[in-house]
Amino acid sequence: MRKSFYISDGTAITSEVFGHALLSLFPVQFKHVTIPFIETAEQALEVNQKISVSFQETGERPLVFHTIVNPEVRQIICQSEGVNYDFLNHFVPQIEEALGVKAKPEKHRTHSIHETTYDIRIEAVNFALANDDGSNLKDYGEADIILCGVSRSGKTPTSLYLALQYGIKAANYPFTEDDMRDTLKLPAVLKRFKHKLFGLTIAAQRLHDIRTERRANSRYASLQQCRIELREVENLYRKEKIPFLDSTAFSIEEISAKILAITGLERRKY
Amino acid sequence: MRKSFYISDGTAITSEVFGHALLSLFPVQFKHVTIPFIETAEQALEVNQKISVSFQETGERPLVFHTIVNPEVRQIICQSEGVNYDFLNHFVPQIEEALGVKAKPEKHRTHSIHETTYDIRIEAVNFALANDDGSNLKDYGEADIILCGVSRSGKTPTSLYLALQYGIKAANYPFTEDDMRDTLKLPAVLKRFKHKLFGLTIAAQRLHDIRTERRANSRYASLQQCRIELREVENLYRKEKIPFLDSTAFSIEEISAKILAITGLERRKY
C-alpha cells in the first residue's frame, strides 16, 4: 500500500488535516504514518531515512505532507525520496503580500497551549462531565447550550466535542422512558432554560442497533420502544419550537458544526 | 480588526486548520468567521455578499480560506472581494501526477461519518467515561492505555481527546492523597497492566493554582501537598520505569501527540 507521511516540528495535527483533506479526494488506500515533534537536524535525518526505506521497499515514492518552521529541518525532509507537499511555504508569501506584514515563523505553534483559551477548554470539559446525562441541574444557568434527546442519540460525545474543540459549555439532559409513559412534556427544570435547548434525534433503526449492543433484547432496545421515544421527542421539539437535528448520518464533527451554525454560538478556540 | 473567513461545503474544520496554521505565523490579530455547509449557489451568493460587506465596512479585503468541492459554489466564493486561498485546488493536480490517478471530488467529506472508524470513536469515548478517575477497574484488560497521575494533572481531558480524535481506549487512574501517606507504591490492581501505564506529572505551582480554583485553602490545594504528591508519583514512575510526561507547558493536543509518539499506539482515525 502506498505510504503517506505527516511530519511536523509540532503535533503534526495540521499536516494530518492537510494531507487527509487532499487524499480523501482520491479513490486510493494509503498507509498513514504520522511523525510529530521533529525539531533537530538529527531527528530529521532519521525521518529522511525512513522515507527512503519505504521507497526502496515499495518502489513507490511516499507522499510527504509537512508543516515545518525550522528551515534546516525542512530542508532535510525535502531532500528525502518522497514527494513533498508543503502548504505553509506555498501560501506564506501570498499572505505576507495581502497583509503587508512579514511572517514570524518562531510563533508557529498552532496546536500548542494558548493561555487565554486553554483554561476555557478544560473548564468546558469539566462542565460537560459534571453536567452529563442530567446528573446536575443546578449549573444550567452557566451552560452555553443544553443538548437534549433520548438515551444514545449522541448527546454525550457531542457535548464533549463542543467542549474540547470549541470551549463551549454544553450540558446534556436525557428524556427517559419514564417521561414517555404519557405524552412527553417539557420538564419543569428545563422551562426557564428553553432558549438554550437543542434537540437531537436519530433514526429508530439506528437507535435500536446502538441500544441492542448495550442491552440486547431489552424493552429499552426494542424497535417499538425506540419508535415511541423518538416520536415523542420530535413532537416535543416541534411543539416547543426547540431547534433540533437528526444525527443518524452525521459524524460528531458535523453535528457540532451544524449546532454552531444553527444556534450562532461562538467558537472559543483562538 | 482584519477579518478572516473559513468557508466550506462541509464542516469547515479543514479550512479552519488551514487558515489558522498560516495565520499563526503572523503577528496580527484577526476576527475569525467560520461558515460551514455552503452547498448551493444561493448560499454561496449570500456568503459572497457578507465578504463584500466586510470589505466595505473595514476597507480591508478579508482573507478567505476555503475548501469547496462543488465548482459552481467555489467560483462564486472566488469572485468575492476577499483574498482567496484554496489549498485543495492548488495541490490536487500535483497529487494526481504523483499517484497517476484522477481525483474524485464527490468523495470530499473529510470530517463526515466513516462507517469503519466512527463506531470505534464513540465506543472509545464511552470507554473513557466509564473508566474515568479509577471508577472502574474491571475493564483495564480492554484499555489501550491507562493514564495515571495525581488529581488535576490532565488525565481526564487527555483520555477524552485520545478517544474522540484517535479512537483510543484510555482509562485513567488517580493516585490519591491516601496513597501518599507512605511511600507511594504501584497499586496491586495496576501491576498486571503495568505495560499499559503512562504517567502524567505537572509543575507543583501550576497544580496548586488549578486545585485552588477548585477548593481554595484546602490541604488538597496546598503547595506543600502538591509537592509531596508530585514527588511521590515521579519517584514511582522512575522506579517502575513507567513512561511519563510533564503536562505543564503543553496543550491537550500536544500531550496526546506526545503520548502516541512515545508509546507507539496507532491512531484509529482513517
Side-chain angles (χ1 to χ4, degrees):
Chain A
M1 205 184 295
R2 189 112 182 197
K3 266 196 186 168
S4 177
F5 285 86
Y6 310 97
I7 299 166
S8 173
D9 44 5
T11 61
I13 292 172
T14 299
S15 24
E16 287 182 330
V17 172
F18 165 47
H20 284 280
L22 286 163
L23 296 186
S24 71
L25 301 173
F26 290 86
V28 176
Q29 290 260 316
F30 293 88
K31 166 97 180 106
H32 305 283
V33 183
T34 303
I35 310 182
F37 306 114
I38 300 304
E39 294 167 287
T40 65
E42 201 187 341
Q43 294 172 317
L45 282 166
E46 248 178 68
V47 174
N48 181 314
Q49 202 50 37
K50 270 189 195 161
I51 295 169
S52 299
V53 167
S54 165
F55 175 43
Q56 284 152 19
E57 282 175 0
T58 64
E60 291 186 310
R61 289 192 191 280
L63 306 190
V64 181
F65 297 91
H66 58 80
T67 54
I68 300 167
V69 168
N70 180 317
E72 190 191 1
V73 169
R74 191 169 62 232
Q75 208 192 344
I76 296 171
I77 300 297
C78 285
Q79 286 163 348
S80 81
E81 304 200 70
V83 192
N84 286 279
Y85 304 101
D86 174 1
F87 88 95
L88 284 187
N89 280 285
H90 177 75
F91 287 101
V92 162
Q94 299 179 29
I95 297 180
E96 285 180 335
E97 202 193 316
L99 297 178
V101 174
K102 281 274 164 199
K104 280 197 175 176
E106 72 275 17
K107 291 245 176 170
H108 169 53
R109 283 282 168 260
T110 318
H111 291 98
S112 65
I113 210 160
H114 298 288
E115 304 297 322
T116 45
T117 57
Y118 187 66
D119 289 346
I120 290 175
R121 286 170 58 203
I122 299 287
E123 212 191 308
V125 169
N126 291 334
F127 183 87
L129 290 173
N131 292 277
D132 186 36
D133 222 20
S135 55
N136 185 6
L137 311 174
K138 69 178 175 18
D139 294 340
Y140 279 13
E142 212 189 308
D144 295 313
I145 188 168
I146 302 164
L147 301 178
C148 55
V150 304
S151 167
R152 298 288 126 173
S153 54
K155 302 182 298 299
T156 297
T158 306
S159 61
L160 290 170
Y161 191 85
L162 287 171
L164 265 173
Q165 291 293 327
Y166 299 124
I168 287 173
K169 287 185 179 174
N172 79 69
Y173 184 92
F175 297 121
T176 64
E177 229 178 299
D178 280 353
D179 295 329
M180 322 268 178
R181 295 206 196 281
D182 248 323
T183 304
L184 177 64
K185 294 204 174 59
L186 194 63
V189 60
L190 295 182
K191 275 190 187 148
R192 33 187 296 240
F193 302 112
K194 203 177 129 180
H195 58 292
K196 296 187 182 184
L197 290 179
F198 192 99
L200 290 178
T201 188
I202 185 170
Q205 182 62 47
R206 173 88 179 127
L207 185 62
H208 166 64
D209 293 345
I210 296 171
R211 288 184 173 186
T212 296
E213 279 206 21
R214 235 190 152 196
R215 245 187 271 163
N217 304 316
S218 62
R219 189 177 120 96
Y220 165 82
S222 71
L223 190 54
Q224 160 98 342
Q225 180 63 25
C226 291
R227 282 205 187 107
I228 293 173
E229 294 186 20
L230 292 168
R231 189 193 59 208
E232 288 297 319
V233 296
E234 289 175 25
N235 284 343
L236 179 74
Y237 298 154
R238 287 194 191 94
K239 191 176 139 226
E240 298 284 354
K241 300 195 172 47
I242 295 166
F244 72 101
L245 95 87
D246 181 334
S247 68
T248 313
F250 298 127
S251 69
I252 311 173
E253 284 82 353
E254 288 174 308
I255 298 168
S256 302
K258 279 175 194 284
I259 289 173
L260 296 184
I262 294 168
T263 60
L265 272 176
E266 293 266 345
R267 292 153 171 78
R268 299 197 190 96
K269 63 186 284 198
Y270 311 123
Chain B
M1 205 184 292
R2 188 114 185 197
K3 266 196 186 168
S4 178
F5 285 86
Y6 310 98
I7 300 168
S8 173
D9 44 5
T11 60
I13 292 172
T14 300
S15 25
E16 288 183 330
V17 172
F18 165 48
H20 284 281
L22 286 163
L23 297 186
S24 71
L25 301 173
F26 289 87
V28 176
Q29 291 259 315
F30 293 89
K31 166 97 180 106
H32 306 282
V33 184
T34 302
I35 311 183
F37 307 114
I38 300 305
E39 293 167 288
T40 66
E42 201 187 341
Q43 294 171 316
L45 281 166
E46 247 178 69
V47 174
N48 182 314
Q49 203 49 38
K50 269 190 196 160
I51 295 168
S52 299
V53 167
S54 165
F55 175 43
Q56 283 151 24
E57 282 176 1
T58 63
E60 290 187 310
R61 291 192 189 280
L63 306 190
V64 181
F65 297 92
H66 59 79
T67 54
I68 301 167
V69 167
N70 179 315
E72 190 190 2
V73 170
R74 190 170 62 231
Q75 208 191 346
I76 297 171
I77 299 298
C78 285
Q79 285 163 352
S80 81
E81 304 202 70
V83 191
N84 287 280
Y85 304 102
D86 174 1
F87 88 95
L88 284 187
N89 280 284
H90 176 75
F91 287 101
V92 162
Q94 299 178 28
I95 296 180
E96 286 180 334
E97 202 194 315
L99 297 179
V101 174
K102 281 275 165 201
K104 280 197 174 176
E106 71 277 17
K107 292 246 175 169
H108 169 51
R109 283 282 167 260
T110 319
H111 291 97
S112 65
I113 209 159
H114 297 288
E115 305 298 324
T116 45
T117 58
Y118 187 66
D119 289 345
I120 290 174
R121 287 169 57 203
I122 299 287
E123 210 193 309
V125 169
N126 292 335
F127 184 87
L129 290 173
N131 292 277
D132 186 35
D133 223 20
S135 53
N136 185 7
L137 311 174
K138 70 177 174 16
D139 295 340
Y140 279 14
E142 214 188 309
D144 294 313
I145 187 168
I146 302 163
L147 300 178
C148 54
V150 303
S151 168
R152 298 291 125 172
S153 54
K155 302 181 299 298
T156 297
T158 305
S159 60
L160 290 170
Y161 190 87
L162 287 171
L164 266 172
Q165 292 293 329
Y166 299 124
I168 287 173
K169 288 187 178 172
N172 79 68
Y173 184 92
F175 297 119
T176 65
E177 228 178 299
D178 280 353
D179 296 328
M180 324 268 176
R181 293 205 198 281
D182 248 324
T183 303
L184 177 64
K185 294 204 173 58
L186 194 63
V189 61
L190 295 182
K191 276 192 186 147
R192 36 188 291 241
F193 302 112
K194 204 178 131 181
H195 59 292
K196 295 186 181 184
L197 290 178
F198 192 98
L200 291 177
T201 189
I202 186 170
Q205 181 63 47
R206 173 87 180 128
L207 186 62
H208 166 65
D209 294 345
I210 297 171
R211 289 184 172 186
T212 296
E213 278 207 22
R214 237 191 151 195
R215 246 186 271 163
N217 303 317
S218 63
R219 188 177 120 97
Y220 165 81
S222 71
L223 191 54
Q224 161 97 344
Q225 180 64 25
C226 291
R227 283 206 187 106
I228 293 173
E229 293 186 19
L230 292 168
R231 188 193 59 208
E232 288 297 319
V233 294
E234 289 175 25
N235 282 344
L236 179 75
Y237 298 154
R238 288 195 191 95
K239 194 178 136 221
E240 299 284 353
K241 300 196 172 46
I242 296 167
F244 71 102
L245 91 87
D246 181 336
S247 68
T248 313
F250 299 127
S251 68
I252 310 172
E253 284 81 352
E254 289 174 308
I255 298 169
S256 302
K258 278 174 194 284
I259 289 174
L260 296 185
I262 294 169
T263 61
L265 272 177
E266 293 267 344
R267 292 150 171 79
R268 298 198 190 95
K269 63 185 286 196
Y270 312 121

